[in-house]
Short mmCIF file of all heavy atoms in Angstrom, two decimals:
data_model
loop_
_atom_site.label_atom_id
_atom_site.label_comp_id
_atom_site.label_asym_id
_atom_site.label_seq_id
_atom_site.Cartn_x
_atom_site.Cartn_y
_atom_site.Cartn_z
N SER A 111 -2.43 95.11 -108.85
CA SER A 111 -1.60 95.25 -110.05
C SER A 111 -0.59 94.10 -110.08
O SER A 111 -0.24 93.56 -109.03
CB SER A 111 -0.87 96.59 -110.05
OG SER A 111 0.03 96.65 -108.96
N ALA A 112 -0.14 93.76 -111.28
CA ALA A 112 0.91 92.75 -111.41
C ALA A 112 2.23 93.43 -111.07
O ALA A 112 2.65 94.37 -111.71
CB ALA A 112 0.93 92.19 -112.83
N ASN A 113 2.86 92.93 -110.02
CA ASN A 113 4.04 93.55 -109.45
C ASN A 113 5.30 92.97 -110.09
O ASN A 113 6.29 93.65 -110.32
CB ASN A 113 4.01 93.27 -107.94
CG ASN A 113 5.12 93.94 -107.18
OD1 ASN A 113 5.87 93.26 -106.51
ND2 ASN A 113 5.23 95.24 -107.26
N HIS A 114 5.24 91.68 -110.40
CA HIS A 114 6.40 90.99 -110.95
C HIS A 114 5.92 89.70 -111.60
O HIS A 114 4.95 89.11 -111.13
CB HIS A 114 7.39 90.65 -109.83
CG HIS A 114 8.72 90.20 -110.36
ND1 HIS A 114 9.70 91.08 -110.74
CD2 HIS A 114 9.20 88.96 -110.60
CE1 HIS A 114 10.75 90.38 -111.19
NE2 HIS A 114 10.46 89.11 -111.12
N ARG A 115 6.59 89.29 -112.68
CA ARG A 115 6.14 88.08 -113.36
C ARG A 115 7.35 87.27 -113.82
O ARG A 115 8.27 87.83 -114.39
CB ARG A 115 5.29 88.49 -114.57
CG ARG A 115 4.48 87.37 -115.17
CD ARG A 115 3.52 87.89 -116.24
NE ARG A 115 2.22 88.24 -115.66
CZ ARG A 115 1.59 89.38 -115.90
NH1 ARG A 115 2.11 90.29 -116.70
NH2 ARG A 115 0.41 89.61 -115.35
N TRP A 116 7.32 85.98 -113.51
CA TRP A 116 8.33 85.06 -114.06
C TRP A 116 7.63 84.27 -115.16
O TRP A 116 6.88 83.32 -114.87
CB TRP A 116 8.88 84.14 -112.99
CG TRP A 116 9.73 84.86 -111.97
CD1 TRP A 116 11.00 85.33 -112.14
CD2 TRP A 116 9.36 85.19 -110.61
NE1 TRP A 116 11.44 85.94 -110.98
CE2 TRP A 116 10.46 85.87 -110.03
CE3 TRP A 116 8.23 84.99 -109.83
CZ2 TRP A 116 10.45 86.33 -108.71
CZ3 TRP A 116 8.20 85.45 -108.53
CH2 TRP A 116 9.31 86.12 -107.98
N GLU A 117 7.84 84.69 -116.41
CA GLU A 117 7.19 84.03 -117.54
C GLU A 117 7.71 82.61 -117.67
O GLU A 117 8.91 82.38 -117.54
CB GLU A 117 7.49 84.78 -118.86
CG GLU A 117 6.96 86.22 -118.89
CD GLU A 117 5.46 86.28 -119.14
OE1 GLU A 117 4.84 85.23 -119.45
OE2 GLU A 117 4.90 87.39 -119.03
N LYS A 118 6.84 81.69 -117.97
CA LYS A 118 7.22 80.29 -118.20
C LYS A 118 8.25 79.80 -117.19
O LYS A 118 9.31 79.29 -117.55
CB LYS A 118 7.72 80.10 -119.63
CG LYS A 118 6.58 80.13 -120.63
CD LYS A 118 6.95 79.50 -121.96
CE LYS A 118 5.77 79.61 -122.92
NZ LYS A 118 6.18 79.78 -124.31
N ALA A 119 7.95 80.00 -115.94
CA ALA A 119 8.80 79.44 -114.88
C ALA A 119 8.80 77.92 -115.01
O ALA A 119 9.75 77.24 -114.63
CB ALA A 119 8.26 79.85 -113.52
N HIS A 120 7.71 77.40 -115.59
CA HIS A 120 7.61 75.96 -115.84
C HIS A 120 7.27 75.76 -117.31
O HIS A 120 6.43 76.46 -117.85
CB HIS A 120 6.55 75.34 -114.93
CG HIS A 120 6.95 75.41 -113.49
ND1 HIS A 120 7.71 74.42 -112.89
CD2 HIS A 120 6.76 76.37 -112.56
CE1 HIS A 120 7.95 74.78 -111.63
NE2 HIS A 120 7.39 75.95 -111.41
N TYR A 121 7.95 74.80 -117.95
CA TYR A 121 7.73 74.58 -119.39
C TYR A 121 8.13 73.17 -119.77
O TYR A 121 8.98 72.55 -119.15
CB TYR A 121 8.53 75.60 -120.22
CG TYR A 121 10.01 75.59 -119.92
CD1 TYR A 121 10.88 74.75 -120.62
CD2 TYR A 121 10.52 76.40 -118.91
CE1 TYR A 121 12.23 74.74 -120.32
CE2 TYR A 121 11.88 76.38 -118.60
CZ TYR A 121 12.71 75.55 -119.32
OH TYR A 121 14.05 75.50 -119.01
N HIS A 122 7.49 72.69 -120.81
CA HIS A 122 7.87 71.40 -121.40
C HIS A 122 8.83 71.67 -122.53
O HIS A 122 8.61 72.56 -123.34
CB HIS A 122 6.63 70.69 -121.95
CG HIS A 122 5.69 70.23 -120.90
ND1 HIS A 122 6.04 69.33 -119.92
CD2 HIS A 122 4.39 70.55 -120.66
CE1 HIS A 122 5.00 69.11 -119.13
NE2 HIS A 122 3.99 69.83 -119.56
N VAL A 123 9.90 70.91 -122.57
CA VAL A 123 10.84 71.08 -123.67
C VAL A 123 10.34 70.21 -124.83
O VAL A 123 10.11 69.03 -124.68
CB VAL A 123 12.26 70.67 -123.26
CG1 VAL A 123 13.19 70.75 -124.46
CG2 VAL A 123 12.74 71.56 -122.13
N ASP A 124 10.18 70.85 -125.97
CA ASP A 124 9.64 70.16 -127.13
C ASP A 124 10.32 70.77 -128.35
O ASP A 124 10.08 71.92 -128.69
CB ASP A 124 8.12 70.37 -127.16
CG ASP A 124 7.46 69.68 -128.34
OD1 ASP A 124 8.17 69.30 -129.29
OD2 ASP A 124 6.24 69.54 -128.32
N GLN A 125 11.17 69.99 -128.97
CA GLN A 125 11.97 70.52 -130.09
C GLN A 125 11.10 71.19 -131.15
O GLN A 125 11.45 72.23 -131.69
CB GLN A 125 12.77 69.39 -130.77
CG GLN A 125 14.14 69.15 -130.14
CD GLN A 125 14.04 68.14 -129.00
OE1 GLN A 125 13.26 67.21 -129.10
NE2 GLN A 125 14.82 68.33 -127.95
N ASP A 126 9.98 70.56 -131.49
CA ASP A 126 9.17 71.07 -132.61
C ASP A 126 8.56 72.44 -132.31
O ASP A 126 8.52 73.31 -133.17
CB ASP A 126 8.03 70.09 -132.94
CG ASP A 126 8.58 68.70 -133.22
OD1 ASP A 126 9.77 68.59 -133.60
OD2 ASP A 126 7.81 67.73 -133.05
#
Side-chain angles (χ1 to χ4, degrees):
S111 64
N113 184 237
H114 192 84
R115 194 172 270 132
W116 291 286
E117 297 283 352
K118 286 199 182 147
H120 294 272
Y121 56 90
H122 291 299
V123 176
D124 180 344
Q125 271 89 36
D126 305 336

